[in-house]
Amino acid sequence: MTEKEELRRQIDATDEELLALLNRRQSLAAAIGRIKNQEGSRTLDFRREEEVVAHLIHLNPGPLSHTALRNIFREIISAAREIQAPLGVAFLGPEATFSHLAALKKFGYASRFGPMATIQEVFGEVEKGKYHYGVVPIENSTEGVVNATLDLFAETPLKICGEIYLEVSHDLVSKSGQKLDIEVIYTHPQAHGQCRNWLATHLPEIPVLEVASTGVAAQKAAKNPNSAAIASAFAAPLYNLRVVEPRIEDHSGNVTHFFVIGPDAPGPTGRDKTAILFAVDNIPGALYKTLRPLAERGLNMTRIVSRPVKTEAWRYLFYVDLDGHQSEPEVREALSEIEQISAHFKLLGSFPKAPGVEKLS
């Protein structure tokens, strides 16, 4: 037996051990699922899942990278959820949108995914209970906030349950893969903004038509041989398209931030954020006074965005993210003060911080 054959024999033996351990883990997960059903508790426990992965990363001596470990256990945990109870997740579709990819990164392939035509439909289907959770874009690092998502948080009873930061890279794709065949380009408005300089330089005469998502753009390009789409690299094989030009975004390091929405906010993990929205009276220093409880307690505000109130001209809602969980004494006290000062206040939820930026590969 050669050295290579011996190493392969050892790998086969290790795989058999892994298989036995994975099945043992699934049996334990099924037993926990039965207990959850008796208790009437939900299948998904964000805090527990984060604790499991964080513990394993802490113990990991290598050579397995932390990223690879996280990806592997995402699917192991996803399979464990499936054996307990299938988990339904709605996202802005169709398949191969960045919202779809973010949902896969968060929930794993064993979940049941539902593509929705609009962000409003994602909220609506989760509110009706047709899906357990939804994944919606909230902000892009180059194009800014997604206003449709922010506006819906003012109305929905849903909570923010989690977050995902996803690397975003755009390919120009078409049926033939040839630039000379392109007479029109389909794209989502955010993707258009992220690739505007490249398009102006390389295809300045080609009209650009904006559609509901990058997935819809890919679908349209698949039906029209004289068109192209700006979409993710995952869209090309799914819709039988070829890459005309890869990575056409104007800025490398482009990242989109997504929120997970659901009926309940998870408990504290020790690495959390809290999201709120509020309105202030139109008097001098009102915003300063409203935010002062955060500064006095040393609480870090990670985002503030304003949006106009739809029912009252020149009135604004402020959306704020801050470090900490609503159950922590200092956070709870600060939120109580803000609520008393504000003309309107809404707690959108506390949720675990994302561990980092998820890569597309």
Side-chain angles (χ1 to χ4, degrees):
M1 182 180 293
T2 65
E3 182 183 5
K4 181 170 70 175
E5 290 172 336
E6 170 58 21
L7 291 171
R8 284 178 172 170
R9 186 194 66 78
Q10 292 181 35
I11 286 176
D12 290 344
T14 302
D15 287 343
E16 291 173 10
E17 292 176 21
L18 285 172
L19 180 61
L21 290 170
L22 288 170
N23 278 302
R24 180 168 176 262
R25 192 186 195 282
Q26 284 292 88
S27 297
L28 294 170
I32 291 173
R34 288 191 291 271
I35 294 171
K36 287 180 176 179
N37 287 334
Q38 293 170 2
E39 295 174 342
S41 56
R42 291 185 172 273
T43 300
L44 179 58
D45 186 340
F46 283 105
R47 177 171 60 177
R48 170 61 180 164
E49 293 188 3
E50 288 295 328
E51 287 175 350
V52 167
V53 176
H55 176 66
L56 292 169
I57 287 174
H58 177 71
L59 295 177
N60 181 30
L64 185 69
S65 71
H66 292 344
T67 298
L69 186 150
R70 181 174 288 278
N71 289 338
I72 291 166
F73 271 87
R74 177 187 295 119
E75 296 307 322
I76 291 173
I77 292 170
S78 179
R81 278 195 242 107
E82 184 186 32
I83 204 170
Q84 293 179 357
L87 190 67
V89 182
F91 65 91
L92 177 62
E95 292 182 326
T97 61
F98 289 103
S99 292
H100 185 202
L101 298 177
L104 288 170
K105 292 289 187 182
K106 183 67 176 178
F107 292 97
Y109 283 80
S111 300
R112 174 177 64 91
F113 293 102
M116 302 296 145
T118 64
I119 294 172
Q120 184 172 8
E121 193 175 351
V122 175
F123 275 81
E125 294 297 285
V126 179
E127 287 174 5
K128 294 173 188 174
K130 293 185 177 180
Y131 290 87
H132 299 91
Y133 297 97
V135 174
V136 292
I138 186 68
E139 186 173 14
N140 177 265
S141 58
T142 59
E143 285 299 296
V145 297
V146 180
N147 291 329
T149 303
L150 281 179
D151 291 343
L152 287 163
F153 275 124
E155 306 166 5
T156 185
L158 299 176
K159 300 294 185 182
I160 300 171
C161 306
E163 64 175 359
I164 310 113
Y165 288 96
L166 180 69
E167 174 189 47
V168 171
S169 179
H170 298 292
D171 289 359
L172 186 68
V173 296
S174 72
K175 289 289 286 184
S176 68
Q178 300 299 313
K179 193 180 293 186
L180 292 176
D181 294 334
I182 300 173
E183 296 176 359
V184 63
I185 297 171
Y186 298 107
T187 182
H188 183 266
Q190 285 265 341
H192 187 191
Q194 294 160 28
C195 303
R196 187 173 286 111
N197 292 339
W198 189 94
L199 292 170
T201 301
H202 296 90
L203 296 170
E205 304 301 322
I206 304 299
V208 177
L209 299 182
E210 294 184 347
V211 294
S213 69
T214 54
V216 170
Q219 286 182 335
K220 288 184 173 292
K223 296 175 182 178
N224 181 356
N226 297 115
S227 70
I230 298 173
S232 72
F234 291 85
L238 182 64
Y239 296 107
N240 195 27
L241 299 169
R242 296 183 178 182
V243 177
V244 180
E245 191 73 33
R247 303 190 72 93
I248 66 169
E249 62 274 9
D250 297 328
H251 302 283
S252 60
N254 193 11
V255 175
T256 295
H257 187 197
F258 296 85
F259 277 153
V260 178
I261 55 174
D264 302 305
T269 66
R271 292 188 70 258
D272 304 290
K273 288 182 182 177
T274 295
I276 61 174
L277 69 82
F278 59 86
V280 298
D281 293 321
N282 189 18
I283 57 175
L287 181 58
Y288 163 76
K289 292 175 183 176
T290 306
L291 295 175
R292 188 167 57 188
L294 301 180
E296 289 176 343
R297 291 168 176 81
L299 297 172
N300 183 40
M301 182 174 63
T302 59
R303 171 168 41 212
I304 181 168
V305 180
S306 66
R307 288 291 295 153
V309 175
K310 301 299 183 183
T311 57
E312 189 175 349
W314 318 123
R315 183 96 178 204
Y316 295 88
L317 287 173
F318 293 90
Y319 294 76
V320 167
D321 290 353
L322 59 126
D323 286 339
H325 193 277
Q326 59 183 305
S327 64
E328 297 170 9
E330 288 192 336
V331 175
R332 185 171 60 248
E333 292 169 5
L335 297 184
S336 177
E337 281 193 37
I338 291 172
E339 183 174 9
Q340 293 173 19
I341 297 168
S342 302
H344 172 73
F345 177 88
K346 184 178 182 182
L347 176 62
L348 300 179
S350 295
F351 50 93
K353 288 184 181 180
V357 177
E358 299 280 0
K359 301 296 182 183
L360 289 174
S361 57

